[in-house]
């Protein structure tokens, strides 16, 4: 029982940290998008790096992405963590089905990352 309570407390702590992180980054990203500042590409990378730490996801990079642009990365999307893992390493924009824009919270986050 204590193990279950500990897991629930950890999950609650993670959720609070994610909400606070998002609320702190949200206005900055909105302004960066509106003013077309270079920060609009790098800020999501920082947000996802912090997200991975909060969720205790260790990202190991082997090799490096091509420096040629434009660059298309094709990946089989396995879980929600894929987005944060990939985005914590390189500035990315994702392609998503049109319904995502109408999803509560996730639609807004997708727009902020230029999905």
């Amino acid at each position: 029982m204590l193990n279950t309570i500990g897991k629930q407390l950890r999950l609650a702590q993670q959720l609070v940290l994610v909400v606070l992180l998002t609320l702190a980054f949200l206005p900055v990203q909105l302004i960066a998008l509106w003013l077309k500042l270079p920060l609009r590409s790098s800020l999501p990378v920082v947000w996802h790096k912090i997200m991975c730490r909060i969720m205790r996801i260790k990202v190991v990079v082997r090799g490096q992405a091509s420096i040629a642009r434009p660059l298309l990365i094709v990946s089989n999307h396995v879980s929600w963590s894929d987005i944060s893992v990939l985005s914590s390493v390189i500035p990315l924009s994702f392609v998503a089905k049109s319904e995502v824009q109408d999803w509560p919270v996730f639609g807004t986050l997708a727009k902020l990352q230029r999905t």
Side-chain angles (χ1 to χ4, degrees):
M1 177 147 166
L2 287 176
N3 195 19
T4 303
I5 293 171
K7 287 180 181 179
Q8 290 173 342
L9 286 173
R10 174 70 182 153
L11 182 61
Q13 178 188 28
Q14 287 173 323
L15 183 60
V16 167
L17 289 172
V18 167
V19 168
L20 292 174
L21 175 69
T22 303
L23 290 175
F25 276 56
L26 184 98
V28 179
Q29 180 67 358
L30 284 171
I31 292 168
L33 286 169
W34 185 57
L35 296 176
K36 296 183 176 156
L37 300 174
L39 182 66
R40 72 184 189 270
S41 295
S42 59
L43 192 61
V45 174
V46 174
W47 187 88
H48 285 288
K49 281 182 189 218
I50 297 170
M51 282 290 295
C52 286
R53 290 200 61 174
I54 290 170
M55 296 302 167
R56 296 183 175 177
I57 297 171
K58 182 179 179 184
V59 178
V60 177
V61 178
R62 292 192 179 117
Q64 56 184 309
S66 171
I67 58 171
R69 296 292 184 267
L71 175 66
L72 176 65
I73 299 173
V74 179
S75 174
N76 186 14
H77 184 50
V78 178
S79 77
W80 63 269
S81 61
D82 296 355
I83 295 169
S84 284
V85 168
L86 291 170
S87 295
S88 72
V89 177
I90 186 171
L92 298 171
S93 294
F94 292 91
V95 176
K97 57 186 179 179
S98 62
E99 294 86 37
V100 171
Q101 69 182 344
D102 299 324
W103 292 359
V105 180
F106 295 104
T108 301
L109 293 175
K111 288 175 190 171
L112 288 171
Q113 190 162 341
R114 300 174 297 134
T115 295

